[in-house]
Amino acid sequence: MAALRAALAASLAVARARPPPLACRPPPARCSALAGAMEPAPRWLAGLRFDNRALRALPVETPPPGPEGAPSAPRPVPGACFSRARPEPLRRPRVVALSEPALALLGLGAPPAAAAAREAREAEAALFFSGNALLPGAEPAAHCYCGHQFGQFAGQLGDGAAMYLGEVCTEAGERWELQLKGAGPTPFSRQADGRKVLRSSIREFLCSEAMFHLGIPTTRAGACVTSQSTVVRDIFYDGNPRPEPCAVVLRLAPTFLRFGSFEIFKPRDEHTGRAGPSVGRDDIRLQMLDYVISTFYPEIQATHPGDPVQRHAAFFREVTRRTARLVAEWQCVGFCHGVLNTDNMSIVGLTIDYGPFGFLDRYDPDHVCNASDTAGRYAYSKQPEVCKWNLQKLAEALDPALPLELAEAILAEEFDAEFSRHYLQKMRRKLGLMQTEQEGDGALVAQLLETMHLTGADVTNSFYLLSSLPAAPEPPDLDEFLAALTAQCASLEELRLAFRPQMDPRQLSMMLMLAQSNPQLLALIGTRASLARELERVEQQSRLEQLSEAELHVRNRSTWAAWLGDYRARLEKDREASSDAAAWQAERVRIMRANNPKYVLRNYIAQGAIEAAESGDFSEVRRVLKLLETPYGGEVEAAEPEEASEAAEPRGAADRRRSYSSKPPLWAAELCVT
């Protein structure tokens, strides 16, 4: 016992030491004393070399002693950035899928050809990536952070369903933090169980990898593991809970630190009365800033070695720019995050925490992908403004290490300009405008989006089709092209479904009376925005009832033809700036095909993979994962089956024959993600 106590004390002393320079340390000789009893020795994963700098650089809390084997009780964690934790074993874990490109970042080679060797590899992945066994050198811990959720400060949040395993150093000189999401309770689980279920884990796993292959900064997902353990979940919060299988996702990133990591120092909030657990600990704030800048922004550390205020200003400026570029990338591909709280904003400019996300199908700037977001705070069109608001909260959290006035000046100077620059630059590439930049390009893009909105056009397919537009100087016959474009517009049936009223007529009448008699109360209960949206639905539904399918088709065709006239004139200016028209045309198509994906993770595609996996068939998850590795088209297109398996598409023969690049089926509009 004395030896164990001595080993524990030594481990904690190392955890609190300052980090060395950027080079990785040698692998530890054995697991931390906190890892517990002897664990199975890895074979495939034996070469992973841990060097857990975050736990050495930042304060770590050791949980108070409790019953043997019992998880740490939820509690405030003051004066620490991490708290030691331990994954809870799952019953009979099994690999759903592995992302080979993500695992290759860790130096893990391609799967062997022999079936027996592949099975052994998956068995090892199931054991260690479920949390049932710890890799040598892993030191599981949960990160403490706070956050503004839906605009209100929520106080301490933290990793309630995720665990830091450690940081793996690779032969390429890279450092990757490994994290298990869904591995069991931590001190930050509050009243929850720390588990994630199969459906949400598949969505996170697939979307993490899809975003990377789209070229959007993101955390990565190396593995998705399911099990025979279950938890009870009320999916739609409608009083009908059911047991669901537990699952774990292995996530990778340079770091999972976020804006909310710096909000643990926030004083008591005047609106919610909550405060961060480490109020007044300016020493830890400086410690965290030193760690983040020296580790993830070394060029800033080198440029401002002796001036901390200028160093912190340069850091905030770069975070602002990265965030602006990130949300511009989201807007250009039609990605909706769904829960843009400050605790879901990466300090290094990555997309993190894939909860209720979605990609736009029909273009709708007011689309809300999270059914819990009844006020529409995180609607697609509001994402840039919300990210800027979150940066304001980060600025407040850095004060006084970075004076608030200076941070606000940086935010005002940088965010809008960087967002607009990057957004327009990306949109020019999506439209194949490579030779010149014209003042009217922004207006051309805005008119395109308005055309998509008016016609209910499919975002992904419409952009992809534009690369096929005839661009010859003589007037071409556009009938065939217009027919293809209008086929991507919403049908009358789709529009009637999309604008179907959500409120009972009696409820709507009551809300309108309240708006007249007591508008202050209506604003207080937060239903003014939902009432406005409902009135718009009623008005749209009335207009649609007066419209025939033929009239809608003529209107859509005319709307697109008008914009295409302007677009072709703009393309002609670009062509004239090139000395070789044929080379210009080939390059235009190449650039457009490289910036307009053919495949994105639509909700109906994810749902098909989830339903197959819940029935025990993981082949659809793996097929979709492979397809998403080449979202711009390529050799993998041959793997896109015209005849998907029955388990993958259980909603009918027509949907089973549906291509992954098709417009979604009608039932997809009914999918609800919360």
Side-chain angles (χ1 to χ4, degrees), residues 290 293 300-301 304-316:
D290 287 348
I293 296 171
I300 291 176
Q301 179 74 26
H304 305 283
D307 189 336
V309 172
Q310 288 306 309
R311 184 165 65 246
H312 300 159
F315 159 69
F316 183 70

Side-chain angles (χ1 to χ4, degrees), residues 49 104-107 169-176:
R49 188 159 62 94
L105 297 172
L106 304 177
C169 293
T170 70
E171 290 185 1
E174 296 177 332
R175 174 186 294 271
W176 292 95

Side-chain angles (χ1 to χ4, degrees), residues 458-515:
D458 185 275
V459 175
T460 303
N461 291 354
S462 297
F463 269 112
Y464 188 79
L465 270 172
L466 287 177
S467 62
S468 305
L469 174 68
E474 66 278 0
D477 183 1
L478 293 181
D479 283 353
E480 187 177 339
F481 183 76
L482 276 169
L485 260 182
T486 51
Q488 296 304 321
C489 298
S491 68
L492 203 54
E493 187 178 10
E494 290 174 70
L495 291 174
R496 285 172 178 166
L497 186 62
F499 291 103
R500 182 180 55 189
Q502 304 294 304
M503 289 184 187
D504 180 276
R506 290 170 297 181
Q507 181 188 5
L508 179 58
S509 177
M510 183 179 69
M511 298 296 289
L512 289 171
M513 289 174 59
L514 185 61

Side-chain angles (χ1 to χ4, degrees), residues 490-673:
S491 68
L492 203 54
E493 187 178 10
E494 290 174 70
L495 291 174
R496 285 172 178 166
L497 186 62
F499 291 103
R500 182 180 55 189
Q502 304 294 304
M503 289 184 187
D504 180 276
R506 290 170 297 181
Q507 181 188 5
L508 179 58
S509 177
M510 183 179 69
M511 298 296 289
L512 289 171
M513 289 174 59
L514 185 61
Q516 292 291 326
S517 62
N518 197 339
Q520 293 83 5
L521 177 59
L522 189 71
L524 186 64
I525 60 180
T527 55
R528 179 179 292 170
S530 58
L531 177 60
R533 287 198 300 273
E534 187 64 14
L535 289 172
E536 184 183 346
R537 285 193 197 97
V538 171
E539 187 178 339
Q540 277 278 17
Q541 195 76 359
S542 176
R543 285 199 294 263
L544 291 169
E545 290 299 329
Q546 312 301 317
L547 198 65
S548 71
E549 194 74 61
E551 290 169 330
L552 178 65
H553 178 78
V554 169
R555 189 179 75 180
N556 289 344
R557 184 184 174 90
S558 173
T559 303
W560 270 110
W563 181 80
L564 285 173
D566 293 338
Y567 178 44
R568 291 191 70 254
R570 176 63 181 88
L571 281 175
E572 181 60 18
K573 290 180 182 177
D574 211 59
R575 187 190 65 79
E576 289 171 353
S578 173
S579 58
D580 187 333
W584 169 83
Q585 170 67 357
E587 181 67 1
R588 177 183 79 89
V589 173
R590 187 192 69 79
I591 290 290
M592 292 182 74
R593 288 291 169 89
N595 285 274
N596 294 305
K598 184 175 183 180
Y599 307 108
V600 294
L601 185 60
R602 298 175 186 265
N603 269 341
Y604 85 91
I605 296 175
Q607 187 63 24
I610 290 166
E611 291 179 4
E614 288 180 333
S615 70
D617 176 9
F618 303 148
S619 64
E620 182 68 3
V621 175
R622 299 179 185 195
R623 183 183 296 118
V624 170
L625 176 66
K626 195 68 179 171
L627 190 81
L628 293 173
E629 288 177 8
T630 54
Y632 299 99
E635 294 178 6
V636 181
E637 290 187 67
E640 180 183 347
E642 284 297 324
E643 63 290 337
S645 68
E646 290 286 335
E649 298 273 3
R651 297 178 186 263
D655 290 331
R656 286 197 299 274
R657 291 192 298 271
R658 184 179 298 274
S659 164
Y660 293 120
S661 60
S662 296
K663 284 177 59 184
L666 278 175
W667 58 259
E670 302 295 320
L671 290 173
C672 177
V673 184

Side-chain angles (χ1 to χ4, degrees), residues 221-383:
C224 180
V225 177
T226 189
S227 70
Q228 290 187 357
S229 298
T230 60
V231 287
V232 175
R233 292 288 189 265
D234 186 350
I235 304 176
F236 303 116
Y237 305 102
D238 60 0
N240 294 297
R242 65 178 177 88
E244 295 191 63
C246 295
V248 176
V249 175
L250 172 72
R251 306 202 298 182
L252 293 74
T255 181
F256 285 90
L257 295 181
R258 50 201 75 204
F259 291 9
S261 302
F262 288 93
E263 292 190 289
I264 63 173
F265 315 107
K266 179 175 169 55
R268 187 168 302 280
D269 185 81
E270 61 178 334
H271 301 294
T272 65
R274 300 187 181 101
S278 297
V279 175
R281 293 300 304 270
D282 289 354
D283 57 324
I284 300 178
R285 176 170 26 223
L286 290 171
Q287 198 173 344
M288 194 184 304
L289 276 166
D290 287 348
Y291 166 71
V292 169
I293 296 171
S294 64
T295 306
F296 307 111
Y297 297 90
E299 67 287 350
I300 291 176
Q301 179 74 26
T303 305
H304 305 283
D307 189 336
V309 172
Q310 288 306 309
R311 184 165 65 246
H312 300 159
F315 159 69
F316 183 70
R317 186 182 301 275
E318 181 58 22
V319 174
T320 298
R321 288 172 174 169
R322 290 191 189 188
T323 303
R325 292 193 295 267
L326 177 66
V327 68
E329 290 282 345
W330 293 348
Q331 301 305 103
C332 287
V333 81
F335 175 75
C336 307
H337 188 285
V339 196
L340 277 177
N341 299 326
T342 56
D343 54 292
N344 291 335
M345 298 288 295
S346 164
I347 204 68
V348 291
L350 304 175
T351 314
I352 60 172
D353 286 350
Y354 293 92
F357 66 84
F359 285 86
L360 291 180
D361 291 321
R362 175 178 59 85
Y363 183 77
D364 176 8
D366 298 323
H367 176 70
V368 177
C369 67
N370 179 2
S372 304
D373 184 9
T374 54
R377 177 179 174 83
Y378 299 140
Y380 164 75
S381 62
K382 293 181 181 177
Q383 290 184 138

